């Protein structure tokens, strides 16, 4: 299977630099362990509140002009939905987004606010319905992770980390479908070859960790993965992303629901960042998996900050259920 290259990531960076994605900074955490310096990569500061805008922008920019009139279709639990809707609007394209019925209301409303048509379906039907809409309309499918252009776009985060902290020793990346980790690992391993790339998953959606340990994809049901509060990390890796994970990610660790909830609070109160549970898993790993992680200069990617106000209030008031 063909993996993307760092050249693909560099090309994506050039392609999306004027397509609404923000170059986010690295934020040094004075409250972290001095023996393990920590920087946060706040992708929650993107215009749609998550890193997904990078992959969506690169994939949409690559659509031939002759195909753009038929619009784009995507399926997503929320952040990719907003990203495709936002970028499609910038390009003047019609966007239809298929979301599972357990998608947070905040993410559905934000997607509609960007002008997209939102189709809500049972969690097991989102890909089937999206493919049907593509066939009916002649639209272009923009998958959330299973596409080289999407992976390359997400990898631009790795380029920025390497440029801003070239002596980084560990990069912590959330893992769901694997597009983010695949792209970031591609860039980091090429530019900072001594750095470890560590994936982080919720234990309740730990299929990628189990798969990497087994050396082959291990199937979990959608219902199993839906148990975690981290709604953006409920997808399973594809053949394409798993091939990248096996080749370029050093390991994947898992964190508990209680640790994720506490990390949201830590980010809000110590780093002054609003992070959704999916974006907080890397901080949860840094705080709770010391024995499983390399020592040294660490970057934790805060992948998104889109969560309902009621959930944020609940977590700040009662971080553990």
């Amino acid at each position: 299977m063909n993996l993307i290259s760092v050249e693909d990531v560099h090309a994506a960076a050039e392609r999306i630099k004027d397509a609404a994605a923000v170059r986010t900074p690295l934020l040094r955490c004075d409250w972290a362990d001095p023996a393990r310096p920590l920087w946060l990569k706040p992708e929650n500061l993107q215009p749609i509140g998550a890193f997904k805008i990078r992959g969506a922008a690169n994939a949409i920019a690559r659509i031939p002009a002759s195909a753009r009139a038929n619009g784009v279709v995507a399926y997503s639990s929320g952040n990719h939905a907003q990203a495709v809707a936002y970028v499609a609007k910038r390009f003047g394209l019609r966007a239809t987004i298929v979301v599972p019925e357990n998608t947070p209301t905040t993410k559905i409303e934000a997607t509609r606010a960007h002008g997209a048509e939102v189709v809500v379906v049972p969690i097991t039907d989102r890909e089937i319905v999206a493919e049907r809409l593509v066939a009916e309309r002649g639209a272009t499918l923009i998958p959330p992770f299973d596409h080289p252009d999407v992976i390359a776009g997400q990898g631009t985060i790795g380029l920025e980390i390497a440029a801003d902290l070239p002596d980084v020793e560990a990069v912590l990346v959330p893992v769901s479908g694997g597009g983010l980790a695949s792209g970031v690992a591609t860039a980091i391993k090429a530019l900072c070859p001594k750095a470890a790339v560590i994936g982080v998953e919720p234990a309740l959606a730990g299929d990628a960790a189990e798969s990497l340990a087994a050396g082959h994809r291990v199937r979990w049901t959608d219902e199993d993965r839906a148990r975690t509060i981290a709604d953006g990390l409920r997808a399973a890796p594809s053949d394409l992303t798993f091939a990248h994970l096996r080749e370029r990610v050093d390991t994947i660790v898992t964190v508990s629901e209680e640790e994720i909830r506490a990390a949201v609070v830590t980010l809000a109160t110590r780093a002054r960042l609003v992070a959704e549970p999916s974006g907080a898993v890397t901080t949860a790993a840094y705080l709770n998996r010391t024995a499983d992680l390399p020592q040294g200069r660490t970057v934790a990617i805060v992948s998104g900050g889109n969560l309902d106000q009621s959930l944020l209030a609940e977590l700040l008031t009662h971080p553990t259920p």
Side-chain angles (χ1 to χ4, degrees):
M1 183 171 295
N2 292 329
L3 307 187
I4 70 161
S5 67
V6 70
E7 288 76 21
D8 295 322
V9 182
H10 279 297
E14 184 66 23
R15 201 172 288 120
I16 71 174
K17 65 181 182 181
D18 298 320
V22 171
R23 191 193 192 287
T24 55
L26 287 183
L27 305 178
R28 176 72 180 263
C29 299
D30 292 336
W31 46 268
D33 181 355
R36 294 188 303 131
L38 175 67
W39 287 260
L40 301 175
K41 181 68 168 169
E43 287 295 295
N44 57 316
L45 301 182
Q46 292 291 349
I48 57 92
F51 75 97
K52 290 284 191 177
I53 193 170
R54 296 172 182 264
N58 190 47
I60 290 174
R62 296 265 289 167
I63 298 174
S66 59
R68 294 185 177 184
N70 294 329
V72 295
V73 170
Y75 55 88
S76 167
S77 62
N79 286 334
H80 181 64
Q82 293 178 69
V84 172
Y86 184 89
V87 176
K89 185 178 180 179
R90 294 270 303 217
F91 277 80
L93 306 182
R94 176 187 180 186
T96 304
I97 315 295
V98 181
V99 302
E101 55 194 1
N102 62 347
T103 300
T105 302
T106 298
K107 294 182 179 181
I108 293 177
E109 291 175 350
T111 302
R112 287 188 173 128
H114 294 311
E117 174 189 359
V118 177
V119 179
V120 181
V121 301
I123 189 171
T124 56
D125 292 349
R126 56 186 177 179
E127 295 182 37
I128 295 171
V129 173
E131 289 168 358
R132 187 183 73 223
L133 290 170
V134 166
E136 291 173 354
R137 301 176 180 182
T140 299
L141 180 67
I142 308 294
F145 52 85
D146 189 26
H147 195 287
D149 291 338
V150 173
I151 294 171
Q154 319 304 24
T156 58
I157 294 173
L159 296 184
E160 294 171 12
I161 293 171
D164 292 347
L165 192 67
D167 55 354
V168 63
E169 294 170 273
V171 179
L172 307 181
V173 192
V175 176
S176 181
L180 174 60
S182 297
V184 169
T186 296
I188 292 296
K189 290 300 183 181
L191 302 174
C192 306
K194 294 183 179 180
V197 179
I198 313 296
V200 186
E201 280 187 306
L204 292 184
D207 54 326
E210 185 177 346
S211 297
L212 200 64
H216 59 84
R217 290 175 63 197
V218 177
R219 308 281 184 172
W220 287 32
T221 67
D222 291 338
E223 291 75 17
D224 281 340
R225 297 193 306 273
R227 296 172 298 165
T228 179
I229 191 175
D231 61 274
L233 302 182
R234 293 170 176 167
S238 65
D239 289 339
L240 177 62
T241 56
F242 186 64
H244 284 79
L245 298 180
R246 287 190 64 183
E247 181 72 22
R248 295 170 180 170
V249 170
D250 293 272
T251 191
I252 299 176
V253 301
T254 63
V255 289
S256 71
E257 297 298 290
E258 293 77 14
E259 290 164 345
I260 295 170
R261 287 170 172 265
V264 172
V265 176
T266 296
L267 288 168
T269 58
R270 303 300 298 276
R272 310 302 191 267
L273 291 176
V274 174
E276 61 190 277
S278 303
V281 296
T282 52
T283 301
Y286 174 85
L287 294 172
N288 297 283
R289 296 293 176 271
T290 304
D292 300 322
L293 301 178
Q295 296 295 309
R297 292 171 292 276
T298 301
V299 171
I301 297 173
V302 181
S303 55
N306 295 316
L307 74 170
D308 288 328
Q309 292 181 8
S310 59
L311 176 58
L312 178 59
E314 174 195 332
L315 293 176
L316 290 172
T317 307
H318 306 288
T320 55

